[in-house]
mmCIF file of all heavy atoms in Angstrom:
data_model
loop_
_atom_site.group_PDB
_atom_site.id
_atom_site.type_symbol
_atom_site.label_atom_id
_atom_site.label_comp_id
_atom_site.label_asym_id
_atom_site.label_seq_id
_atom_site.Cartn_x
_atom_site.Cartn_y
_atom_site.Cartn_z
ATOM 1 N N SER A 381 -16.719 -29.379 26.278
ATOM 2 C CA SER A 381 -16.884 -29.041 24.858
ATOM 3 C C SER A 381 -18.066 -28.105 24.685
ATOM 4 O O SER A 381 -19.079 -28.219 25.382
ATOM 5 C CB SER A 381 -17.114 -30.304 24.017
ATOM 6 O OG SER A 381 -16.018 -31.180 24.092
ATOM 7 N N THR A 382 -17.916 -27.174 23.772
ATOM 8 C CA THR A 382 -19.009 -26.288 23.395
ATOM 9 C C THR A 382 -18.694 -25.679 22.036
ATOM 10 O O THR A 382 -17.528 -25.398 21.737
ATOM 11 C CB THR A 382 -19.225 -25.153 24.420
ATOM 12 O OG1 THR A 382 -20.278 -24.286 23.960
ATOM 13 C CG2 THR A 382 -17.964 -24.333 24.614
ATOM 14 N N PRO A 383 -19.705 -25.480 21.188
ATOM 15 C CA PRO A 383 -19.458 -24.817 19.899
ATOM 16 C C PRO A 383 -19.449 -23.299 20.008
ATOM 17 O O PRO A 383 -19.133 -22.617 19.038
ATOM 18 C CB PRO A 383 -20.641 -25.290 19.045
ATOM 19 C CG PRO A 383 -21.743 -25.496 20.041
ATOM 20 C CD PRO A 383 -21.086 -25.985 21.296
ATOM 21 N N ASP A 384 -19.778 -22.778 21.194
ATOM 22 C CA ASP A 384 -19.963 -21.334 21.326
ATOM 23 C C ASP A 384 -19.585 -20.904 22.739
ATOM 24 O O ASP A 384 -20.439 -20.633 23.573
ATOM 25 C CB ASP A 384 -21.421 -20.982 21.010
ATOM 26 C CG ASP A 384 -21.669 -19.483 20.983
ATOM 27 O OD1 ASP A 384 -20.702 -18.731 20.837
ATOM 28 O OD2 ASP A 384 -22.845 -19.074 21.125
ATOM 29 N N ALA A 385 -18.295 -20.829 23.005
ATOM 30 C CA ALA A 385 -17.821 -20.529 24.354
ATOM 31 C C ALA A 385 -18.044 -19.062 24.705
ATOM 32 O O ALA A 385 -17.971 -18.181 23.858
ATOM 33 C CB ALA A 385 -16.343 -20.872 24.477
ATOM 34 N N SER A 386 -18.289 -18.823 25.985
ATOM 35 C CA SER A 386 -18.383 -17.446 26.484
ATOM 36 C C SER A 386 -16.983 -16.864 26.633
ATOM 37 O O SER A 386 -15.973 -17.547 26.433
ATOM 38 C CB SER A 386 -19.091 -17.433 27.839
ATOM 39 O OG SER A 386 -18.278 -18.108 28.808
ATOM 40 N N GLY A 387 -16.914 -15.601 27.016
ATOM 41 C CA GLY A 387 -15.614 -14.978 27.203
ATOM 42 C C GLY A 387 -14.782 -15.661 28.265
ATOM 43 O O GLY A 387 -13.605 -15.989 28.046
ATOM 44 N N SER A 388 -15.361 -15.916 29.428
ATOM 45 C CA SER A 388 -14.615 -16.540 30.528
ATOM 46 C C SER A 388 -14.257 -17.983 30.203
ATOM 47 O O SER A 388 -13.135 -18.434 30.472
ATOM 48 C CB SER A 388 -15.426 -16.467 31.820
ATOM 49 O OG SER A 388 -16.709 -17.045 31.655
ATOM 50 N N THR A 389 -15.173 -18.717 29.597
ATOM 51 C CA THR A 389 -14.898 -20.111 29.253
ATOM 52 C C THR A 389 -13.805 -20.205 28.199
ATOM 53 O O THR A 389 -12.904 -21.041 28.285
ATOM 54 C CB THR A 389 -16.179 -20.794 28.733
ATOM 55 O OG1 THR A 389 -17.197 -20.709 29.735
ATOM 56 C CG2 THR A 389 -15.916 -22.254 28.413
ATOM 57 N N SER A 390 -13.867 -19.346 27.204
ATOM 58 C CA SER A 390 -12.848 -19.383 26.153
ATOM 59 C C SER A 390 -11.478 -19.006 26.710
ATOM 60 O O SER A 390 -10.459 -19.583 26.317
ATOM 61 C CB SER A 390 -13.227 -18.436 25.011
ATOM 62 O OG SER A 390 -13.312 -17.096 25.459
ATOM 63 N N GLN A 391 -11.417 -18.072 27.643
ATOM 64 C CA GLN A 391 -10.134 -17.690 28.219
ATOM 65 C C GLN A 391 -9.564 -18.818 29.071
ATOM 66 O O GLN A 391 -8.360 -19.096 29.018
ATOM 67 C CB GLN A 391 -10.275 -16.422 29.060
ATOM 68 C CG GLN A 391 -8.930 -15.847 29.473
ATOM 69 C CD GLN A 391 -9.033 -14.450 30.043
ATOM 70 O OE1 GLN A 391 -10.067 -13.788 29.928
ATOM 71 N NE2 GLN A 391 -7.963 -13.980 30.665
ATOM 72 N N ALA A 392 -10.426 -19.487 29.820
ATOM 73 C CA ALA A 392 -9.967 -20.650 30.588
ATOM 74 C C ALA A 392 -9.458 -21.740 29.658
ATOM 75 O O ALA A 392 -8.433 -22.383 29.921
ATOM 76 C CB ALA A 392 -11.110 -21.178 31.458
ATOM 77 N N ALA A 393 -10.149 -21.955 28.542
ATOM 78 C CA ALA A 393 -9.718 -22.968 27.571
ATOM 79 C C ALA A 393 -8.378 -22.587 26.956
ATOM 80 O O ALA A 393 -7.507 -23.444 26.762
ATOM 81 C CB ALA A 393 -10.779 -23.131 26.481
ATOM 82 N N ASN A 394 -8.198 -21.308 26.640
ATOM 83 C CA ASN A 394 -6.933 -20.866 26.045
ATOM 84 C C ASN A 394 -5.760 -21.125 26.986
ATOM 85 O O ASN A 394 -4.669 -21.519 26.544
ATOM 86 C CB ASN A 394 -7.014 -19.382 25.692
ATOM 87 C CG ASN A 394 -7.906 -19.114 24.495
ATOM 88 O OD1 ASN A 394 -8.206 -20.018 23.722
ATOM 89 N ND2 ASN A 394 -8.339 -17.876 24.335
ATOM 90 N N ILE A 395 -5.969 -20.901 28.273
ATOM 91 C CA ILE A 395 -4.905 -21.178 29.246
ATOM 92 C C ILE A 395 -4.627 -22.671 29.316
ATOM 93 O O ILE A 395 -3.463 -23.111 29.269
ATOM 94 C CB ILE A 395 -5.288 -20.636 30.632
ATOM 95 C CG1 ILE A 395 -5.315 -19.109 30.614
ATOM 96 C CG2 ILE A 395 -4.311 -21.137 31.698
ATOM 97 C CD1 ILE A 395 -5.826 -18.485 31.899
ATOM 98 N N SER A 396 -5.659 -23.478 29.432
ATOM 99 C CA SER A 396 -5.479 -24.931 29.543
ATOM 100 C C SER A 396 -4.779 -25.495 28.315
ATOM 101 O O SER A 396 -3.891 -26.345 28.420
ATOM 102 C CB SER A 396 -6.838 -25.609 29.738
ATOM 103 O OG SER A 396 -7.429 -25.211 30.965
ATOM 104 N N GLU A 397 -5.158 -25.005 27.126
ATOM 105 C CA GLU A 397 -4.533 -25.489 25.892
ATOM 106 C C GLU A 397 -3.064 -25.079 25.806
ATOM 107 O O GLU A 397 -2.225 -25.842 25.327
ATOM 108 C CB GLU A 397 -5.321 -24.962 24.697
ATOM 109 C CG GLU A 397 -6.704 -25.582 24.563
ATOM 110 C CD GLU A 397 -7.625 -24.809 23.638
ATOM 111 O OE1 GLU A 397 -7.251 -23.696 23.199
ATOM 112 O OE2 GLU A 397 -8.735 -25.298 23.355
ATOM 113 N N ALA A 398 -2.748 -23.876 26.274
ATOM 114 C CA ALA A 398 -1.351 -23.427 26.270
ATOM 115 C C ALA A 398 -0.515 -24.250 27.242
ATOM 116 O O ALA A 398 0.614 -24.657 26.921
ATOM 117 C CB ALA A 398 -1.288 -21.940 26.626
ATOM 118 N N VAL A 399 -1.059 -24.514 28.419
ATOM 119 C CA VAL A 399 -0.345 -25.321 29.419
ATOM 120 C C VAL A 399 -0.142 -26.745 28.904
ATOM 121 O O VAL A 399 0.915 -27.350 29.095
ATOM 122 C CB VAL A 399 -1.119 -25.322 30.751
ATOM 123 C CG1 VAL A 399 -0.511 -26.335 31.725
ATOM 124 C CG2 VAL A 399 -1.120 -23.926 31.371
ATOM 125 N N GLU A 400 -1.133 -27.267 28.222
ATOM 126 C CA GLU A 400 -1.049 -28.611 27.656
ATOM 127 C C GLU A 400 0.139 -28.743 26.706
ATOM 128 O O GLU A 400 0.774 -29.799 26.630
ATOM 129 C CB GLU A 400 -2.348 -28.929 26.921
ATOM 130 C CG GLU A 400 -2.416 -30.307 26.301
ATOM 131 C CD GLU A 400 -3.696 -30.540 25.519
ATOM 132 O OE1 GLU A 400 -4.465 -29.571 25.317
ATOM 133 O OE2 GLU A 400 -3.931 -31.700 25.097
ATOM 134 N N LEU A 401 0.471 -27.676 25.992
ATOM 135 C CA LEU A 401 1.557 -27.710 25.006
ATOM 136 C C LEU A 401 2.894 -27.243 25.577
ATOM 137 O O LEU A 401 3.884 -27.203 24.858
ATOM 138 C CB LEU A 401 1.186 -26.851 23.800
ATOM 139 C CG LEU A 401 0.435 -27.550 22.651
ATOM 140 C CD1 LEU A 401 1.349 -28.560 21.973
ATOM 141 C CD2 LEU A 401 -0.825 -28.225 23.127
ATOM 142 N N GLY A 402 2.932 -26.872 26.867
ATOM 143 C CA GLY A 402 4.205 -26.530 27.495
ATOM 144 C C GLY A 402 4.510 -25.057 27.604
ATOM 145 O O GLY A 402 5.686 -24.671 27.695
ATOM 146 N N ALA A 403 3.500 -24.203 27.636
ATOM 147 C CA ALA A 403 3.744 -22.769 27.799
ATOM 148 C C ALA A 403 4.430 -22.491 29.129
ATOM 149 O O ALA A 403 4.108 -23.112 30.149
ATOM 150 C CB ALA A 403 2.432 -21.994 27.718
ATOM 151 N N THR A 404 5.382 -21.551 29.098
ATOM 152 C CA THR A 404 6.084 -21.175 30.325
ATOM 153 C C THR A 404 5.784 -19.739 30.747
ATOM 154 O O THR A 404 6.166 -19.342 31.845
ATOM 155 C CB THR A 404 7.607 -21.325 30.152
ATOM 156 O OG1 THR A 404 8.039 -20.508 29.058
ATOM 157 C CG2 THR A 404 7.984 -22.777 29.888
ATOM 158 N N THR A 405 5.129 -18.967 29.893
ATOM 159 C CA THR A 405 4.729 -17.599 30.236
ATOM 160 C C THR A 405 3.385 -17.305 29.583
ATOM 161 O O THR A 405 3.180 -17.618 28.408
ATOM 162 C CB THR A 405 5.769 -16.565 29.759
ATOM 163 O OG1 THR A 405 7.022 -16.821 30.391
ATOM 164 C CG2 THR A 405 5.326 -15.146 30.103
ATOM 165 N N LEU A 406 2.476 -16.694 30.348
ATOM 166 C CA LEU A 406 1.176 -16.289 29.838
ATOM 167 C C LEU A 406 1.130 -14.767 29.790
ATOM 168 O O LEU A 406 1.479 -14.093 30.765
ATOM 169 C CB LEU A 406 0.056 -16.820 30.736
ATOM 170 C CG LEU A 406 0.046 -18.336 30.981
ATOM 171 C CD1 LEU A 406 -1.098 -18.708 31.925
ATOM 172 C CD2 LEU A 406 -0.067 -19.110 29.672
ATOM 173 N N LEU A 407 0.714 -14.218 28.649
ATOM 174 C CA LEU A 407 0.612 -12.772 28.456
ATOM 175 C C LEU A 407 -0.854 -12.398 28.355
ATOM 176 O O LEU A 407 -1.597 -12.977 27.555
ATOM 177 C CB LEU A 407 1.338 -12.353 27.173
ATOM 178 C CG LEU A 407 2.774 -12.850 26.980
ATOM 179 C CD1 LEU A 407 3.286 -12.465 25.593
ATOM 180 C CD2 LEU A 407 3.689 -12.277 28.050
ATOM 181 N N MET A 408 -1.283 -11.430 29.161
ATOM 182 C CA MET A 408 -2.694 -11.034 29.144
ATOM 183 C C MET A 408 -2.822 -9.524 29.249
ATOM 184 O O MET A 408 -2.080 -8.874 29.990
ATOM 185 C CB MET A 408 -3.467 -11.671 30.309
ATOM 186 C CG MET A 408 -3.466 -13.180 30.329
ATOM 187 S SD MET A 408 -4.570 -13.822 31.609
ATOM 188 C CE MET A 408 -3.873 -15.450 31.855
ATOM 189 N N ASP A 409 -3.789 -8.997 28.517
ATOM 190 C CA ASP A 409 -4.143 -7.582 28.578
ATOM 191 C C ASP A 409 -5.599 -7.510 29.007
ATOM 192 O O ASP A 409 -6.481 -8.085 28.354
ATOM 193 C CB ASP A 409 -3.953 -6.935 27.201
ATOM 194 C CG ASP A 409 -4.118 -5.424 27.225
ATOM 195 O OD1 ASP A 409 -4.829 -4.913 28.109
ATOM 196 O OD2 ASP A 409 -3.534 -4.757 26.356
#
Side-chain angles (χ1 to χ4, degrees):
S381 298
T382 178
D384 186 20
S386 66
S388 55
T389 302
S390 61
Q391 190 168 347
N394 288 342
I395 292 174
S396 296
E397 291 164 352
V399 171
E400 181 183 9
L401 270 293
T404 58
T405 299
L406 305 178
L407 310 174
M408 300 187 202
D409 188 334

